[in-house]
Amino acid sequence: MQHCCMNESICITLCMNRTLPSNTSLDNWGIGISIACAIHCAAIPILLISSAYLGLYTERLEQMELPLFILAGIISSLSIFQVYLRYKNVKPLISLILGLLLIIAGGMTDHDSYETILRVMGSSFIVLGHVMNKKTLKRQST
């Protein structure tokens, strides 16, 4: 097995770059999924209030939350953590962690309005983390 570097702990990260999509692509996916999550969190309460018909599908709408959160968490973590290891810019990582914590906190509250606010804020912090990540990559490539 061929190694791409001498330091074994860093080698895994560097070798991952050969098999994963580029960080810019992961950031774009992360931004898209986080925006979809924010729209889902913000729109669902409005749709449920305004339409009794949609109230019948509340369970299906809520079943989308966990897979969307897991997908956003995985893609965001892969992208932002790889760039952090390479360039040591901690701001996108802090934004990601804060965003994930806000989304989790939103899921733990009993008040629908707090849940929506916390989850939309969390998704926004994840988007911000990806934007900062893309700027780090752009700045380092020039």
Side-chain angles (χ1 to χ4, degrees):
M1 181 174 166
Q2 181 182 3
H3 292 286
C4 53
C5 61
M6 300 302 251
N7 186 336
E8 195 73 321
S9 64
I10 297 173
C11 183
I12 294 170
T13 304
L14 294 176
C15 290
M16 284 175 54
N17 289 338
R18 293 182 179 176
T19 59
L20 290 174
S22 71
N23 279 73
T24 302
S25 176
L26 286 174
D27 283 324
N28 290 340
W29 275 100
I31 289 169
I33 292 168
S34 297
I35 290 172
C37 184
I39 290 170
H40 169 84
C41 292
I44 296 308
I46 295 167
L47 291 173
L48 290 177
I49 290 170
S50 64
S51 174
Y53 179 74
L54 279 176
L56 299 174
Y57 298 103
T58 304
E59 289 178 16
R60 283 192 180 161
L61 295 173
E62 289 178 1
Q63 289 172 350
M64 291 175 55
E65 292 175 358
L66 185 59
L68 201 56
F69 174 73
I70 291 171
L71 185 61
I74 290 171
I75 289 175
S76 300
S77 296
L78 282 173
S79 177
I80 291 173
F81 195 66
Q82 282 185 20
V83 174
Y84 168 73
L85 287 176
R86 193 175 311 141
Y87 301 115
K88 305 298 184 216
N89 185 0
V90 74
K91 290 179 184 177
L93 188 60
I94 291 171
S95 185
L96 168 67
I97 292 168
L98 183 59
L100 293 174
L101 289 174
L102 284 169
I103 290 171
I104 291 169
M108 297 174 78
T109 185
D110 292 334
H111 302 287
D112 288 338
S113 57
Y114 292 148
E115 177 183 2
T116 301
I117 291 167
L118 289 171
R119 288 188 170 189
V120 170
M121 284 176 50
S123 296
S124 300
F125 272 102
I126 293 174
V127 170
L128 177 64
H130 282 291
V131 170
M132 289 188 290
N133 213 38
K134 288 178 75 164
K135 286 182 179 182
T136 299
L137 285 170
K138 187 175 183 177
R139 186 173 48 250
Q140 297 296 331
S141 69
T142 56

